[in-house]
Structure formats: C-alpha cells, structure tokens
Amino acid sequence: MELVSLFITSFIVNNIIFSQFLGTCPFLGVSKKIDTAAGMGIAVIFVITLASIITFIVQKAILVPMELEYLQTIVFILIIAALVQFVEMFLKKSAPGLYQALGIYLPLITTNCAVLGVAINNIKFDYTFIESIVYSVGTSAGFMLAIVLFAGVRDKVDNADLPESLKGSAISLITAGLMSVAFLGFSGLKL
C-alpha cells in the first residue's frame, strides 16, 4: 500500500510539471501535437526510470563508499547524457518519424531538469531501490500525463477564435497556469 501511495503521490499530487515546475521546457516545446507529446512522454519515462536505477546504484555502490558524494551532480549529469544519446540513437533507427517530430527537443532531455531532479530526489528522500523505481515511474508518468493533457487542450485552444494578443505563447502559458491550479486541488489528497 505504501508503494501505491508513493506512485499516486508522485503521479498526480506532486506532479513534476504542475506542482514542482520541473521539465517545463519540453512541456511547452513539444506539446503542440498529442502524438509528439506522447512520444516525448514515453522517452522521458524510459530515461527517468533508467537514469534513476543507474544513479541509485552508482550512488550507493561507488559514491558513498568512496566518500565522493560531492561529485553526485556531475556524475548524474554524465549518466543522463549517455542515456539520452542511447535513446536518440534507438529512436533514430526504430522510429524515424518520432525522431524527426521530436527534433531538437529529444537532446533537450539531457538538460531536462526533471530527469536530474528525480535522480537527486531519490537520494534526498532516502528511498530504497524499489521506492526509487516506483517514484521514478510515477513521476515520469505524471510528466507524460501533463504533456499529453496539455497537448490536447492546446490543440483546442489554438483552433479557437482568440484575440490577437492572446494567440501563441500567451494563451499557452495561461492554459498551463490554469492546469497547474487545477492540479493543486489534488494537494489535499491524503493517501
């Protein structure tokens, strides 16, 4: 039950986009089409989960025993960059359409602060290995939920008859803010 609570909390209640405001660059940049947003969400789920597993093992097996915790951020960034390169090469060969659609935003997963934030939070919150995996999957699934919902809403809003001053980025930011407020309603949820 504790793991289910951790998953739901990281997925909805403390959504990485709407509550923690991490990963907003790809959230705003790749959310113009639902299929592209879903592809980015799947890539982020894969990268965050795998990065969390590897960084947890590196932290506990290498950095802590050798008293090199001060290198945590640098090591985690290197691991994330290598994983993103792997995902980019994989998508280029297996899903060229998605690779083209994601464009510049795929390499931006390397600098997506959500990926690094989840890896650091796993250590900061002193999660066990299983808890860190559940937290990572829940958080990254929450990212996917946020970006796909936003893409759906953005598709409708972009086709609406709006005043010229609200078109484009303005209405996108207003919509993201309203969705963030809506997700704050989950903050009172006690699991």
Side-chain angles (χ1 to χ4, degrees):
M1 190 62 176
E2 199 173 300
L3 293 176
V4 172
S5 175
L6 177 62
F7 179 83
I8 292 171
T9 301
S10 62
F11 180 63
I12 296 176
V13 178
N14 292 326
N15 186 280
I16 194 90
I17 295 287
F18 296 131
S19 296
Q20 298 178 34
F21 306 108
L22 293 174
T24 55
C25 179
F27 171 73
L28 292 171
V30 186
S31 58
K32 292 181 181 173
K33 294 182 182 176
I34 293 175
D35 56 339
T36 307
M40 174 60 103
I42 291 167
V44 167
I45 288 172
F46 178 76
V47 170
I48 285 181
T49 304
L50 198 56
S52 294
I53 291 169
I54 294 170
T55 55
F56 183 90
I57 293 168
V58 167
Q59 175 76 15
K60 300 296 181 181
I62 298 171
L63 298 179
V64 171
M66 297 178 77
E67 297 179 4
L68 297 173
E69 293 95 341
Y70 62 90
L71 293 175
Q72 178 188 62
T73 304
I74 296 169
V75 171
F76 286 9
I77 288 171
L78 290 172
I79 291 168
I80 291 165
L83 283 172
V84 170
Q85 289 300 311
F86 170 72
V87 169
E88 191 172 1
M89 290 185 313
F90 177 78
L91 286 179
K92 191 173 187 178
K93 288 191 180 242
S94 66
L98 180 58
Y99 175 79
Q100 291 294 335
L102 291 175
I104 187 66
Y105 294 100
L106 185 58
L108 283 178
I109 295 176
T110 303
T111 59
N112 185 347
C113 55
V115 181
L116 182 60
V118 170
I120 290 175
N121 280 346
N122 283 329
I123 306 304
K124 179 179 145 187
F125 298 146
D126 199 29
Y127 287 143
T128 65
F129 183 70
I130 299 299
E131 288 172 335
S132 68
I133 292 172
V134 170
Y135 176 75
S136 301
V137 171
T139 301
S140 56
F143 177 89
M144 184 174 175
L145 171 72
I147 197 170
V148 169
L149 284 176
F150 187 62
V153 171
R154 194 170 178 181
D155 184 47
K156 298 292 183 194
V157 170
D158 286 346
N159 293 325
D161 186 29
L162 297 170
E164 196 62 38
S165 61
L166 287 178
K167 289 185 179 180
S169 298
I171 195 65
S172 294
L173 292 172
I174 291 169
T175 304
L178 290 172
M179 289 178 76
S180 181
V181 169
F183 267 73
L184 281 176
F186 293 116
S187 64
L189 187 65
K190 301 291 181 202
L191 299 173

Coordinates of all heavy atoms in Angstrom, one line a residue, residues 9-88:
T9 N 1.0 9.7 -5.4 CA 1.5 11.0 -5.0 C 2.5 11.6 -6.0 O 2.3 12.8 -6.4 CB 2.2 10.9 -3.6 OG1 1.3 10.4 -2.6 CG2 2.7 12.2 -3.1
S10 N 3.4 10.8 -6.5 CA 4.4 11.3 -7.5 C 3.7 11.5 -8.8 O 4.1 12.4 -9.6 CB 5.6 10.4 -7.6 OG 5.2 9.1 -8.0
F11 N 2.7 10.8 -9.2 CA 2.0 10.8 -10.4 C 1.1 12.0 -10.5 O 1.1 12.8 -11.5 CB 1.2 9.5 -10.7 CG 0.4 9.4 -11.9 CD1 1.1 9.5 -13.2 CD2 -1.0 9.3 -11.9 CE1 0.4 9.4 -14.4 CE2 -1.7 9.2 -13.1 CZ -1.0 9.2 -14.3
I12 N 0.2 12.2 -9.5 CA -0.8 13.3 -9.6 C -0.6 14.4 -8.6 O -0.5 15.6 -8.9 CB -2.2 12.7 -9.4 CG1 -2.5 11.7 -10.5 CG2 -3.3 13.8 -9.3 CD1 -3.8 11.0 -10.4
V13 N -0.5 14.0 -7.3 CA -0.5 15.0 -6.2 C 0.7 16.0 -6.3 O 0.6 17.2 -6.3 CB -0.5 14.4 -4.8 CG1 -0.4 15.4 -3.7 CG2 -1.8 13.5 -4.7
N14 N 1.9 15.4 -6.5 CA 3.1 16.2 -6.7 C 3.6 16.1 -8.1 O 4.8 15.9 -8.3 CB 4.2 15.8 -5.7 CG 3.9 16.0 -4.3 OD1 3.3 17.0 -4.0 ND2 4.3 15.2 -3.4
N15 N 2.8 16.4 -9.0 CA 3.1 16.3 -10.4 C 4.3 17.1 -10.8 O 4.4 18.3 -10.4 CB 1.9 16.7 -11.3 CG 2.2 16.5 -12.8 OD1 2.8 17.3 -13.4 ND2 1.6 15.4 -13.3
I16 N 5.3 16.5 -11.4 CA 6.6 17.2 -11.7 C 6.4 18.5 -12.5 O 7.2 19.4 -12.2 CB 7.5 16.2 -12.5 CG1 8.9 16.7 -12.5 CG2 7.1 15.9 -13.9 CD1 9.7 16.2 -11.3
I17 N 5.4 18.6 -13.3 CA 5.2 19.8 -14.1 C 4.4 20.8 -13.3 O 4.7 21.9 -13.2 CB 4.5 19.5 -15.5 CG1 5.4 18.6 -16.4 CG2 4.0 20.7 -16.2 CD1 6.5 19.4 -17.0
F18 N 3.2 20.4 -12.9 CA 2.2 21.3 -12.3 C 2.5 21.6 -10.8 O 1.9 22.7 -10.4 CB 0.8 20.7 -12.5 CG 0.4 20.6 -13.9 CD1 -0.1 19.4 -14.4 CD2 0.6 21.6 -14.8 CE1 -0.5 19.3 -15.7 CE2 0.2 21.5 -16.1 CZ -0.4 20.4 -16.6
S19 N 3.2 20.8 -10.1 CA 3.4 21.1 -8.7 C 4.9 21.5 -8.4 O 5.1 22.4 -7.6 CB 3.1 19.9 -7.8 OG 1.7 19.7 -7.9
Q20 N 5.8 20.9 -9.1 CA 7.2 21.1 -8.9 C 7.8 22.0 -9.9 O 9.0 22.5 -9.7 CB 8.0 19.8 -8.8 CG 7.5 18.9 -7.7 CD 8.3 17.6 -7.7 OE1 9.4 17.5 -8.0 NE2 7.6 16.5 -7.3
F21 N 7.2 22.2 -11.0 CA 7.6 23.1 -12.1 C 9.0 22.7 -12.6 O 9.8 23.6 -13.0 CB 7.6 24.6 -11.7 CG 6.2 25.0 -11.2 CD1 6.1 25.2 -9.8 CD2 5.1 25.1 -12.0 CE1 4.8 25.6 -9.3 CE2 3.9 25.5 -11.5 CZ 3.7 25.7 -10.2
L22 N 9.2 21.4 -12.8 CA 10.4 20.9 -13.4 C 10.1 20.3 -14.7 O 9.1 19.7 -14.9 CB 11.1 19.8 -12.5 CG 11.6 20.3 -11.2 CD1 12.1 19.0 -10.4 CD2 12.8 21.2 -11.3
G23 N 10.9 20.5 -15.7 CA 10.7 20.0 -17.0 C 9.8 20.8 -17.9 O 9.2 20.3 -18.8
T24 N 9.7 22.1 -17.7 CA 8.8 22.9 -18.4 C 9.2 23.2 -19.8 O 8.4 23.5 -20.7 CB 8.5 24.2 -17.7 OG1 9.7 24.9 -17.4 CG2 7.7 24.0 -16.4
C25 N 10.5 23.1 -20.1 CA 11.0 23.4 -21.5 C 10.4 22.4 -22.5 O 9.8 22.8 -23.5 CB 12.5 23.4 -21.5 SG 13.2 23.7 -23.2
P26 N 10.6 21.1 -22.3 CA 10.0 20.2 -23.3 C 8.4 20.2 -23.1 O 7.7 20.0 -24.1 CB 10.5 18.8 -22.9 CG 11.1 19.0 -21.6 CD 11.4 20.4 -21.4
F27 N 7.9 20.5 -22.0 CA 6.5 20.6 -21.7 C 5.9 21.6 -22.7 O 4.9 21.4 -23.3 CB 6.2 20.9 -20.3 CG 4.7 21.2 -20.0 CD1 3.8 20.2 -20.0 CD2 4.3 22.5 -19.7 CE1 2.5 20.4 -19.7 CE2 3.0 22.7 -19.4 CZ 2.1 21.7 -19.4
L28 N 6.5 22.8 -22.7 CA 5.9 23.8 -23.6 C 6.3 23.7 -25.0 O 5.6 24.0 -25.9 CB 6.4 25.2 -23.1 CG 5.8 25.6 -21.7 CD1 6.5 26.9 -21.2 CD2 4.3 25.9 -21.8
G29 N 7.5 23.1 -25.3 CA 8.0 23.0 -26.6 C 7.5 21.8 -27.5 O 7.3 22.0 -28.7
V30 N 7.1 20.7 -26.9 CA 6.7 19.5 -27.6 C 5.2 19.2 -27.5 O 4.8 18.2 -27.9 CB 7.6 18.3 -27.1 CG1 7.3 17.1 -28.0 CG2 9.0 18.6 -27.2
S31 N 4.5 20.2 -26.9 CA 3.1 19.9 -26.7 C 2.1 20.4 -27.7 O 1.0 20.7 -27.4 CB 2.7 20.5 -25.3 OG 3.0 21.8 -25.3
K32 N 2.6 20.6 -29.0 CA 1.7 21.1 -30.0 C 0.8 20.0 -30.6 O -0.2 20.3 -31.1 CB 2.5 21.8 -31.1 CG 3.1 23.1 -30.5 CD 3.9 23.8 -31.6 CE 4.5 25.1 -30.9 NZ 5.4 25.8 -31.8
K33 N 1.3 18.8 -30.6 CA 0.6 17.6 -31.1 C 0.6 16.5 -30.1 O 1.6 16.3 -29.4 CB 1.2 17.1 -32.4 CG 1.2 18.1 -33.6 CD 1.8 17.5 -34.8 CE 1.8 18.5 -35.9 NZ 2.5 17.9 -37.1
I34 N -0.6 15.9 -30.0 CA -0.7 14.8 -29.0 C 0.2 13.6 -29.2 O 0.9 13.1 -28.3 CB -2.2 14.3 -28.9 CG1 -3.1 15.4 -28.4 CG2 -2.3 13.1 -28.0 CD1 -4.6 15.1 -28.4
D35 N 0.4 13.2 -30.5 CA 1.3 12.1 -30.8 C 2.7 12.4 -30.5 O 3.5 11.6 -29.9 CB 1.1 11.6 -32.2 CG 1.3 12.7 -33.2 OD1 1.2 13.9 -32.9 OD2 1.6 12.3 -34.4
T36 N 3.2 13.6 -30.7 CA 4.5 14.0 -30.4 C 4.7 14.1 -28.9 O 5.7 13.7 -28.4 CB 4.9 15.4 -31.1 OG1 4.6 15.3 -32.5 CG2 6.3 15.8 -30.9
A37 N 3.7 14.7 -28.2 CA 3.8 14.8 -26.8 C 3.8 13.4 -26.1 O 4.6 13.2 -25.2 CB 2.6 15.5 -26.3
A38 N 3.0 12.5 -26.7 CA 3.1 11.1 -26.1 C 4.4 10.4 -26.4 O 5.0 9.7 -25.5 CB 2.0 10.2 -26.8
G39 N 5.0 10.6 -27.5 CA 6.3 10.1 -27.8 C 7.4 10.7 -26.9 O 8.2 9.9 -26.4
M40 N 7.3 12.0 -26.6 CA 8.2 12.6 -25.7 C 8.0 12.0 -24.3 O 9.0 11.8 -23.5 CB 8.1 14.1 -25.7 CG 8.9 14.8 -24.6 SD 10.7 14.5 -24.8 CE 11.2 16.1 -25.5
G41 N 6.8 11.8 -23.9 CA 6.4 11.3 -22.6 C 7.0 9.9 -22.4 O 7.6 9.6 -21.4
I42 N 6.9 9.1 -23.4 CA 7.5 7.7 -23.4 C 9.0 7.8 -23.3 O 9.6 7.0 -22.5 CB 7.0 6.9 -24.6 CG1 5.5 6.6 -24.5 CG2 7.8 5.6 -24.7 CD1 4.9 6.0 -25.7
A43 N 9.6 8.6 -24.0 CA 11.1 8.8 -24.0 C 11.5 9.2 -22.6 O 12.5 8.7 -22.0 CB 11.6 9.7 -25.0
V44 N 10.7 10.2 -22.0 CA 11.1 10.7 -20.7 C 10.9 9.6 -19.6 O 11.7 9.5 -18.7 CB 10.3 12.0 -20.3 CG1 10.4 12.3 -18.9 CG2 10.8 13.1 -21.2
I45 N 9.8 8.8 -19.7 CA 9.6 7.7 -18.8 C 10.8 6.7 -18.8 O 11.3 6.4 -17.8 CB 8.3 6.9 -19.1 CG1 7.1 7.8 -18.7 CG2 8.2 5.6 -18.4 CD1 5.7 7.2 -19.2
F46 N 11.2 6.4 -20.0 CA 12.3 5.5 -20.2 C 13.6 6.1 -19.6 O 14.3 5.4 -18.8 CB 12.5 5.1 -21.6 CG 13.7 4.2 -21.9 CD1 13.6 2.9 -21.6 CD2 14.9 4.7 -22.4 CE1 14.7 2.0 -21.8 CE2 16.0 3.9 -22.6 CZ 15.9 2.6 -22.3
V47 N 13.9 7.3 -19.9 CA 15.2 8.0 -19.4 C 15.1 8.2 -17.9 O 16.1 7.9 -17.3 CB 15.4 9.3 -20.2 CG1 16.5 10.1 -19.6 CG2 15.7 9.0 -21.7
I48 N 14.0 8.7 -17.4 CA 14.0 8.9 -15.9 C 14.1 7.6 -15.2 O 14.8 7.5 -14.2 CB 12.7 9.7 -15.6 CG1 12.8 11.2 -16.0 CG2 12.4 9.6 -14.1 CD1 11.6 12.0 -15.6
T49 N 13.4 6.6 -15.6 CA 13.4 5.3 -14.9 C 14.8 4.7 -14.9 O 15.3 4.3 -13.9 CB 12.3 4.4 -15.4 OG1 11.1 5.0 -15.3 CG2 12.3 3.1 -14.6
L50 N 15.3 4.6 -16.1 CA 16.7 4.0 -16.3 C 17.7 4.9 -15.6 O 18.6 4.3 -14.9 CB 17.0 3.8 -17.7 CG 18.1 2.8 -18.0 CD1 17.8 1.5 -17.4 CD2 18.3 2.7 -19.6
A51 N 17.6 6.2 -15.7 CA 18.6 7.1 -15.0 C 18.5 6.9 -13.5 O 19.6 6.9 -12.8 CB 18.4 8.5 -15.4
S52 N 17.3 6.8 -13.0 CA 17.2 6.6 -11.5 C 17.8 5.3 -11.0 O 18.4 5.3 -10.0 CB 15.7 6.7 -11.2 OG 15.2 8.0 -11.4
I53 N 17.6 4.2 -11.8 CA 18.1 3.0 -11.4 C 19.7 3.0 -11.4 O 20.3 2.6 -10.4 CB 17.6 1.8 -12.4 CG1 16.2 1.6 -12.2 CG2 18.5 0.6 -12.2 CD1 15.5 0.7 -13.2
I54 N 20.2 3.5 -12.5 CA 21.7 3.6 -12.6 C 22.3 4.6 -11.6 O 23.3 4.2 -10.9 CB 22.1 4.0 -14.0 CG1 21.7 2.8 -15.0 CG2 23.6 4.2 -14.1 CD1 21.9 3.2 -16.5
T55 N 21.7 5.8 -11.4 CA 22.2 6.7 -10.5 C 22.1 6.2 -9.0 O 23.0 6.5 -8.2 CB 21.6 8.1 -10.6 OG1 20.1 8.0 -10.5 CG2 21.9 8.8 -11.9
F56 N 21.0 5.5 -8.7 CA 20.9 4.9 -7.4 C 22.0 3.9 -7.1 O 22.7 4.0 -6.0 CB 19.5 4.2 -7.2 CG 19.3 3.7 -5.9 CD1 18.7 4.5 -4.9 CD2 19.7 2.4 -5.5 CE1 18.4 4.0 -3.6 CE2 19.4 1.9 -4.2 CZ 18.8 2.7 -3.3
I57 N 22.3 3.1 -8.1 CA 23.3 2.1 -7.9 C 24.7 2.7 -7.8 O 25.5 2.4 -6.9 CB 23.3 1.0 -9.1 CG1 22.0 0.2 -9.0 CG2 24.5 0.2 -9.1 CD1 21.7 -0.6 -10.2
V58 N 25.0 3.7 -8.7 CA 26.3 4.4 -8.6 C 26.4 5.1 -7.3 O 27.5 5.1 -6.7 CB 26.4 5.4 -9.8 CG1 27.5 6.4 -9.6 CG2 26.5 4.6 -11.1
Q59 N 25.3 5.8 -6.8 CA 25.4 6.5 -5.5 C 25.8 5.6 -4.4 O 26.6 5.8 -3.6 CB 24.1 7.2 -5.3 CG 24.0 7.9 -3.9 CD 24.7 9.2 -3.8 OE1 25.1 9.8 -4.8 NE2 25.0 9.7 -2.6
K60 N 25.0 4.4 -4.3 CA 25.2 3.5 -3.2 C 26.4 2.6 -3.3 O 27.0 2.3 -2.3 CB 23.9 2.6 -3.0 CG 22.6 3.4 -2.8 CD 22.6 4.1 -1.5 CE 21.3 4.8 -1.3 NZ 21.3 5.6 0.0
A61 N 26.8 2.3 -4.5 CA 27.9 1.3 -4.7 C 29.3 2.0 -4.9 O 30.3 1.4 -4.5 CB 27.7 0.4 -5.8
I62 N 29.3 3.3 -5.4 CA 30.5 3.9 -5.6 C 30.7 5.2 -4.9 O 31.7 5.4 -4.1 CB 30.7 4.2 -7.2 CG1 30.7 2.9 -7.9 CG2 32.0 5.0 -7.5 CD1 30.6 3.0 -9.4
L63 N 29.8 6.1 -5.0 CA 30.0 7.5 -4.4 C 30.0 7.5 -2.9 O 30.9 8.1 -2.3 CB 28.9 8.4 -4.9 CG 28.9 8.7 -6.4 CD1 27.8 9.7 -6.8 CD2 30.3 9.2 -6.9
V64 N 29.1 6.8 -2.3 CA 29.0 6.8 -0.8 C 30.2 6.0 -0.2 O 30.9 6.5 0.7 CB 27.7 6.2 -0.3 CG1 27.7 6.0 1.2 CG2 26.5 7.2 -0.7
P65 N 30.5 4.8 -0.7 CA 31.6 4.0 -0.1 C 33.0 4.7 -0.2 O 33.8 4.6 0.6 CB 31.6 2.7 -0.8 CG 30.3 2.5 -1.3 CD 29.7 3.9 -1.6
M66 N 33.1 5.4 -1.4 CA 34.4 6.1 -1.6 C 34.4 7.6 -1.1 O 35.3 8.3 -1.3 CB 34.7 6.1 -3.1 CG 34.9 4.7 -3.6 SD 35.2 4.6 -5.4 CE 37.0 5.1 -5.4
E67 N 33.3 8.0 -0.4 CA 33.1 9.3 0.1 C 33.3 10.4 -1.0 O 33.9 11.4 -0.8 CB 34.1 9.5 1.3 CG 33.8 8.6 2.5 CD 34.7 8.8 3.6 OE1 35.6 9.8 3.6 OE2 34.6 8.1 4.6
L68 N 32.6 10.1 -2.1 CA 32.7 11.1 -3.2 C 31.3 11.7 -3.5 O 31.0 12.0 -4.6 CB 33.2 10.3 -4.5 CG 34.6 9.8 -4.4 CD1 34.9 8.9 -5.7 CD2 35.6 10.9 -4.3
E69 N 30.5 11.8 -2.5 CA 29.1 12.3 -2.7 C 29.1 13.7 -3.3 O 28.1 14.1 -3.9 CB 28.3 12.4 -1.3 CG 28.0 11.0 -0.7 CD 29.1 10.6 0.3 OE1 30.2 11.2 0.3 OE2 28.8 9.7 1.1
Y70 N 30.1 14.5 -3.1 CA 30.2 15.8 -3.7 C 30.2 15.8 -5.2 O 30.0 16.8 -5.8 CB 31.4 16.6 -3.1 CG 32.8 16.0 -3.5 CD1 33.4 16.3 -4.6 CD2 33.3 15.0 -2.6 CE1 34.7 15.7 -4.9 CE2 34.6 14.4 -2.9 CZ 35.2 14.8 -4.0 OH 36.4 14.2 -4.3
L71 N 30.5 14.7 -5.8 CA 30.5 14.5 -7.3 C 29.2 14.1 -7.8 O 29.0 13.9 -9.0 CB 31.6 13.5 -7.7 CG 33.0 13.9 -7.5 CD1 34.0 12.8 -7.8 CD2 33.4 15.1 -8.3
Q72 N 28.2 14.0 -6.9 CA 26.9 13.4 -7.3 C 26.3 14.1 -8.5 O 25.9 13.4 -9.5 CB 25.9 13.5 -6.1 CG 24.5 13.0 -6.4 CD 23.6 13.4 -5.2 OE1 23.4 14.5 -4.9 NE2 23.1 12.3 -4.6
T73 N 26.2 15.4 -8.5 CA 25.5 16.1 -9.6 C 26.3 15.9 -10.9 O 25.6 15.6 -12.0 CB 25.4 17.6 -9.3 OG1 24.7 17.8 -8.1 CG2 24.7 18.4 -10.4
I74 N 27.6 16.0 -10.9 CA 28.4 15.8 -12.1 C 28.2 14.4 -12.7 O 28.0 14.2 -13.9 CB 29.8 16.1 -11.9 CG1 30.0 17.6 -11.5 CG2 30.7 15.8 -13.1 CD1 31.4 18.0 -11.0
V75 N 28.3 13.4 -11.8 CA 28.2 12.0 -12.2 C 26.8 11.7 -12.8 O 26.6 11.1 -13.8 CB 28.5 11.1 -11.1 CG1 28.2 9.6 -11.4 CG2 30.0 11.2 -10.7
F76 N 25.7 12.3 -12.1 CA 24.4 12.1 -12.5 C 24.1 12.7 -13.9 O 23.5 12.1 -14.8 CB 23.4 12.6 -11.5 CG 23.2 11.8 -10.3 CD1 24.1 10.7 -10.0 CD2 22.3 12.1 -9.3 CE1 24.0 10.0 -8.8 CE2 22.1 11.3 -8.2 CZ 23.0 10.3 -7.9
I77 N 24.7 13.9 -14.1 CA 24.5 14.5 -15.4 C 25.2 13.7 -16.5 O 24.6 13.5 -17.6 CB 25.1 16.0 -15.4 CG1 24.2 16.9 -14.6 CG2 25.3 16.5 -16.8 CD1 24.7 18.2 -14.3
L78 N 26.4 13.1 -16.3 CA 27.0 12.3 -17.3 C 26.2 11.1 -17.6 O 26.1 10.7 -18.7 CB 28.4 11.9 -16.8 CG 29.5 13.1 -16.7 CD1 30.7 12.6 -16.0 CD2 29.7 13.6 -18.1
I79 N 25.7 10.4 -16.6 CA 24.8 9.2 -16.8 C 23.6 9.6 -17.6 O 23.2 8.9 -18.6 CB 24.4 8.6 -15.4 CG1 25.6 8.0 -14.7 CG2 23.3 7.6 -15.6 CD1 25.4 7.6 -13.3
I80 N 22.9 10.7 -17.3 CA 21.7 11.1 -18.0 C 22.1 11.5 -19.5 O 21.4 11.1 -20.4 CB 21.1 12.3 -17.3 CG1 20.5 11.9 -16.0 CG2 20.0 13.0 -18.2 CD1 20.1 13.0 -15.0
A81 N 23.2 12.1 -19.7 CA 23.6 12.5 -21.1 C 23.8 11.2 -21.9 O 23.4 11.1 -23.1 CB 24.8 13.4 -21.0
A82 N 24.5 10.2 -21.3 CA 24.8 9.0 -22.0 C 23.5 8.3 -22.3 O 23.3 7.7 -23.4 CB 25.7 8.1 -21.2
L83 N 22.5 8.2 -21.4 CA 21.2 7.6 -21.6 C 20.4 8.3 -22.8 O 19.8 7.6 -23.6 CB 20.4 7.6 -20.4 CG 20.8 6.5 -19.3 CD1 20.0 6.7 -18.0 CD2 20.6 5.1 -19.9
V84 N 20.5 9.6 -22.8 CA 19.7 10.3 -23.8 C 20.3 10.0 -25.2 O 19.6 9.9 -26.2 CB 19.7 11.8 -23.5 CG1 19.2 12.6 -24.7 CG2 18.9 12.1 -22.3
Q85 N 21.7 9.9 -25.2 CA 22.3 9.6 -26.5 C 21.8 8.2 -27.0 O 21.6 8.0 -28.1 CB 23.8 9.6 -26.4 CG 24.4 11.0 -26.2 CD 24.1 11.9 -27.4 OE1 24.2 11.5 -28.6 NE2 23.5 13.1 -27.2
F86 N 21.7 7.3 -26.0 CA 21.3 5.9 -26.3 C 19.8 6.0 -26.9 O 19.5 5.4 -27.9 CB 21.3 5.1 -25.1 CG 20.7 3.7 -25.2 CD1 21.2 2.7 -26.0 CD2 19.5 3.5 -24.6 CE1 20.6 1.5 -26.2 CE2 18.8 2.3 -24.7 CZ 19.4 1.3 -25.5
V87 N 18.9 6.7 -26.2 CA 17.6 6.8 -26.6 C 17.5 7.5 -28.0 O 16.7 7.1 -28.9 CB 16.7 7.6 -25.6 CG1 15.4 8.0 -26.1 CG2 16.6 6.9 -24.3
E88 N 18.3 8.5 -28.2 CA 18.3 9.2 -29.5 C 18.7 8.3 -30.6 O 18.1 8.2 -31.7 CB 19.2 10.4 -29.5 CG 19.1 11.3 -30.6 CD 19.9 12.6 -30.4 OE1 20.6 12.8 -29.4 OE2 19.9 13.4 -31.4

